[in-house]
Amino acid sequence: MRKINIFLTTLCLISIIVGGASCKKSTPKTKTELISQTWKVQKAEENGTTVFEIGGVQTANYTPLRLSFNSTGFTWIDSQNNSSSGTWIFASNDTEIKFTVPNNTSFSPATVTMSDLSEDRLTIKYTTTNTKGQTTNVTLYLVPAG
C-alpha cells in the first residue's frame, strides 16, 4: 500500500510540474505585430454614409482595395487596382499611421487615423480631395484578407 501511495504522490507531483510549465502566459502582441498582415475592406463610409459593405450596399467599389503591412513596409492597392508601396510608422501616440512612398510625394492618404486595431479588425479614417477640390471623409473597416 505504501508503494502505491508513493507512486501516486510522485505521479501527482510530475503532473503538477508539467502542467504548470505548460500554462505560461503568452506575451500580448505589439501593435506592429497586430497590423502586420494583409487587410481588405469589410465596410466603407464616405462622409458618414455606408457606400460599401460585403454582402450589402455597394454604391462604391472597394472590393479590390488591399492594405498589406510588414514591420516597416506597406503596399496599398486602391479601388482602381493601382498599387503603391513604401514605408510606414505609427505617429501621435500610435493613433495615426504615416505612409511614405518614395518618388511619389503626392501619395494619398499620407496619414490615416487609426481608431481600432486587433488581430481581426482595423479601422482607419482619412480625408481625400478630388480634382475639383471637394473633400470626402472616408472610414474603412478592414478585416484580414486571408
Side-chain angles (χ1 to χ4, degrees), residues 7 24-25 28 43 54 57 60 67 77 90 99 124 131:
F7 174 75
K24 292 181 182 176
K25 290 185 179 180
K43 179 180 173 182
I54 293 175
V57 175
L67 183 53
I77 300 173
F90 285 120
F99 299 104
I124 59 174
T131 55

Side-chain angles (χ1 to χ4, degrees), residues 44-49 51 62 124-129 134-140:
E45 296 174 349
E46 294 178 357
N47 296 324
T49 301
V51 295
Y62 281 88
I124 59 174
K125 297 177 182 185
Y126 59 93
T127 301
T128 62
T129 305
Q134 298 166 319
T135 61
T136 302
N137 297 311
V138 179
T139 302
L140 299 179

Side-chain angles (χ1 to χ4, degrees), residues 28-48:
K29 289 187 176 183
T30 65
K31 285 189 175 187
T32 299
E33 290 171 329
L34 290 172
I35 205 168
S36 293
Q37 59 180 310
T38 300
W39 301 90
K40 69 179 181 180
V41 178
Q42 179 180 43
K43 179 180 173 182
E45 296 174 349
E46 294 178 357
N47 296 324

